[in-house]
Amino acid sequence: MKGLVLSAAALVLLVIGSAVALRFYRGNKEFRVFLGAFGAAGALYAGAFWLLPPDLGFLPAGWRETAALVDFGNGFLLLVLMFHGYWCFSYFACLSPSMSVMVSLRLRGREGMTRAEALAIQGSDQPVNLIFQRRLPKLLQGGYVREEAGAYRILAPGERVAALGSFLKRLINAQMIA
Amino acid sequence: MLKGLVLCGLLIMIWLIVQAAVFHLVAPRKAFASMLACFAPTVPLYLVLYVMTPADVGFLPSGFVGADWRLGLVNGLALQVLLFLTAGLFYSHADRSITVRLLIELARAPQQRLTLAQMQAVCGVEVLMADRLEIMLANRFLSAQGDRFVLTPKGWIGGSIGLAARKILRMKAL
């Protein structure tokens, strides 16, 4: 139970800390903020687990896990899973094209929108739409693709990601739409 | 506590195998609904197994048995649900990730290179949004009224959650 309590406390701090940090962060590599917050929360969890007494000063004797390693590992696993869920939710809620449509419709009320207006949210009227404006620079900087003679060529790290992605798509029997 | 972890780990493994078989044999149109339908029976199964098996599950050392059984039961169940949700998110990554799709298209292309126009043609905003709008219609987040899309009550809740998250988290599209 000690691990669960500390894991919950670390998660609360992680969420608050990352939300505050995102308000001040000016770049477009938000994953660094999330990973930094997770690193701090993990260190805080481990430190608190090491320093605090097994009953945390208030847990009943029956709620104490006898094996400290199981207690620690269980709390850390829950922290990791909750962090992953929070990270995915944040990216989906803030950046997903589907969510952008729903948020725009939510703000418009009953007016609704046409297919062309839904496309325009993603900058379809611009030479390079938002989907590529956000991803291409990251793929270039990360060494996944290289720009050459007006085209983009995939590099070895990109090939590895593509191979993993293809494997996962085969595993879940997902179809490529394009 | 370890008993709950062992049982939930076992059930999640069984569910993953069954789910992989379902994806390949049935290819469900609504993937998450299929995942939920296959996962749901594992919850009562976990409860039955937890009640019926001994505290040491027949093989755990005595040092790993001792915490309140109710705590172990709830902890294992919570972990089982979290693992299911995590698996659902991994499915979503594999199925929907735009970056992965882009890299797969590049890897498949002749000489593994594409111009920006070619990339936009195979996985650009038109292709992507046509796909997403169809999914949102199928999952009843949107409904079509003539040539316009409007939110269903489910979509309104989704949009409200997204709106609140965007106000709090302040992540930018660029």
Side-chain angles (χ1 to χ4, degrees), chain A residues 143-145 154-163, chain B residues 103 107:
Chain A
Y144 296 97
V145 298
I154 194 166
L155 299 174
E159 279 188 70
R160 284 195 288 273
V161 175
Chain B
L103 289 171

mmCIF file of all heavy atoms in Angstrom, chain A residues 143-145 154-163, chain B residues 103 107:
data_model
loop_
_atom_site.group_PDB
_atom_site.id
_atom_site.type_symbol
_atom_site.label_atom_id
_atom_site.label_comp_id
_atom_site.label_asym_id
_atom_site.label_seq_id
_atom_site.Cartn_x
_atom_site.Cartn_y
_atom_site.Cartn_z
ATOM 1 N N GLY A 143 17.023 12.541 -37.700
ATOM 2 C CA GLY A 143 17.820 11.645 -38.541
ATOM 3 C C GLY A 143 17.017 10.475 -39.090
ATOM 4 O O GLY A 143 17.585 9.445 -39.448
ATOM 5 N N TYR A 144 15.684 10.631 -39.172
ATOM 6 C CA TYR A 144 14.850 9.556 -39.718
ATOM 7 C C TYR A 144 14.734 9.683 -41.240
ATOM 8 O O TYR A 144 14.588 8.684 -41.939
ATOM 9 C CB TYR A 144 13.451 9.586 -39.095
ATOM 10 C CG TYR A 144 13.460 9.324 -37.614
ATOM 11 C CD1 TYR A 144 13.446 10.360 -36.694
ATOM 12 C CD2 TYR A 144 13.492 8.015 -37.137
ATOM 13 C CE1 TYR A 144 13.478 10.119 -35.331
ATOM 14 C CE2 TYR A 144 13.521 7.766 -35.777
ATOM 15 C CZ TYR A 144 13.516 8.827 -34.880
ATOM 16 O OH TYR A 144 13.556 8.576 -33.547
ATOM 17 N N VAL A 145 14.761 10.927 -41.719
ATOM 18 C CA VAL A 145 14.724 11.156 -43.170
ATOM 19 C C VAL A 145 15.753 12.227 -43.525
ATOM 20 O O VAL A 145 16.237 12.956 -42.642
ATOM 21 C CB VAL A 145 13.315 11.615 -43.662
ATOM 22 C CG1 VAL A 145 12.255 10.577 -43.400
ATOM 23 C CG2 VAL A 145 12.924 12.938 -43.037
ATOM 24 N N ILE A 154 14.247 8.109 -46.831
ATOM 25 C CA ILE A 154 14.246 7.512 -45.494
ATOM 26 C C ILE A 154 15.658 7.033 -45.138
ATOM 27 O O ILE A 154 16.392 6.542 -46.001
ATOM 28 C CB ILE A 154 13.202 6.362 -45.408
ATOM 29 C CG1 ILE A 154 12.959 5.982 -43.939
ATOM 30 C CG2 ILE A 154 13.625 5.160 -46.229
ATOM 31 C CD1 ILE A 154 11.726 5.129 -43.740
ATOM 32 N N LEU A 155 16.042 7.204 -43.883
ATOM 33 C CA LEU A 155 17.361 6.756 -43.404
ATOM 34 C C LEU A 155 17.182 5.531 -42.498
ATOM 35 O O LEU A 155 16.052 5.157 -42.171
ATOM 36 C CB LEU A 155 18.046 7.898 -42.649
ATOM 37 C CG LEU A 155 18.318 9.165 -43.489
ATOM 38 C CD1 LEU A 155 18.871 10.283 -42.617
ATOM 39 C CD2 LEU A 155 19.290 8.862 -44.632
ATOM 40 N N ALA A 156 18.314 4.962 -42.087
ATOM 41 C CA ALA A 156 18.259 3.698 -41.328
ATOM 42 C C ALA A 156 17.355 3.758 -40.083
ATOM 43 O O ALA A 156 16.537 2.856 -39.886
ATOM 44 C CB ALA A 156 19.673 3.272 -40.940
ATOM 45 N N PRO A 157 17.451 4.822 -39.239
ATOM 46 C CA PRO A 157 16.554 4.844 -38.071
ATOM 47 C C PRO A 157 15.070 4.878 -38.480
ATOM 48 O O PRO A 157 14.228 4.239 -37.856
ATOM 49 C CB PRO A 157 16.937 6.148 -37.345
ATOM 50 C CG PRO A 157 18.310 6.461 -37.825
ATOM 51 C CD PRO A 157 18.374 5.969 -39.228
ATOM 52 N N GLY A 158 14.784 5.612 -39.560
ATOM 53 C CA GLY A 158 13.413 5.677 -40.071
ATOM 54 C C GLY A 158 12.948 4.323 -40.575
ATOM 55 O O GLY A 158 11.798 3.932 -40.368
ATOM 56 N N GLU A 159 13.868 3.591 -41.229
ATOM 57 C CA GLU A 159 13.529 2.248 -41.728
ATOM 58 C C GLU A 159 13.183 1.311 -40.574
ATOM 59 O O GLU A 159 12.285 0.479 -40.677
ATOM 60 C CB GLU A 159 14.703 1.670 -42.519
ATOM 61 C CG GLU A 159 14.788 2.181 -43.941
ATOM 62 C CD GLU A 159 15.838 1.431 -44.729
ATOM 63 O OE1 GLU A 159 15.618 0.255 -45.027
ATOM 64 O OE2 GLU A 159 16.899 2.033 -45.011
ATOM 65 N N ARG A 160 13.938 1.468 -39.477
ATOM 66 C CA ARG A 160 13.671 0.604 -38.307
ATOM 67 C C ARG A 160 12.274 0.890 -37.748
ATOM 68 O O ARG A 160 11.537 -0.026 -37.405
ATOM 69 C CB ARG A 160 14.745 0.806 -37.239
ATOM 70 C CG ARG A 160 16.051 0.110 -37.589
ATOM 71 C CD ARG A 160 16.970 0.017 -36.384
ATOM 72 N NE ARG A 160 17.540 1.305 -36.013
ATOM 73 C CZ ARG A 160 18.661 1.805 -36.521
ATOM 74 N NH1 ARG A 160 19.329 1.116 -37.413
ATOM 75 N NH2 ARG A 160 19.126 2.975 -36.117
ATOM 76 N N VAL A 161 11.925 2.187 -37.660
ATOM 77 C CA VAL A 161 10.592 2.551 -37.155
ATOM 78 C C VAL A 161 9.522 2.030 -38.108
ATOM 79 O O VAL A 161 8.490 1.487 -37.677
ATOM 80 C CB VAL A 161 10.463 4.087 -36.968
ATOM 81 C CG1 VAL A 161 9.040 4.467 -36.567
ATOM 82 C CG2 VAL A 161 11.448 4.592 -35.928
ATOM 83 N N ALA A 162 9.776 2.181 -39.423
ATOM 84 C CA ALA A 162 8.808 1.712 -40.417
ATOM 85 C C ALA A 162 8.631 0.189 -40.316
ATOM 86 O O ALA A 162 7.509 -0.315 -40.403
ATOM 87 C CB ALA A 162 9.272 2.091 -41.819
ATOM 88 N N ALA A 163 9.753 -0.527 -40.114
ATOM 89 C CA ALA A 163 9.676 -1.994 -40.004
ATOM 90 C C ALA A 163 8.881 -2.388 -38.756
ATOM 91 O O ALA A 163 8.038 -3.290 -38.803
ATOM 92 C CB ALA A 163 11.083 -2.581 -39.939
ATOM 93 N N LEU B 103 6.457 7.083 -42.539
ATOM 94 C CA LEU B 103 7.727 6.360 -42.680
ATOM 95 C C LEU B 103 7.537 5.052 -43.448
ATOM 96 O O LEU B 103 8.401 4.662 -44.238
ATOM 97 C CB LEU B 103 8.336 6.095 -41.296
ATOM 98 C CG LEU B 103 8.896 7.334 -40.585
ATOM 99 C CD1 LEU B 103 9.277 7.020 -39.145
ATOM 100 C CD2 LEU B 103 10.097 7.908 -41.331
ATOM 101 N N ALA B 107 9.425 4.037 -46.829
ATOM 102 C CA ALA B 107 10.190 2.788 -46.939
ATOM 103 C C ALA B 107 9.730 1.961 -48.135
ATOM 104 O O ALA B 107 10.517 1.242 -48.751
ATOM 105 C CB ALA B 107 10.044 1.985 -45.643
#
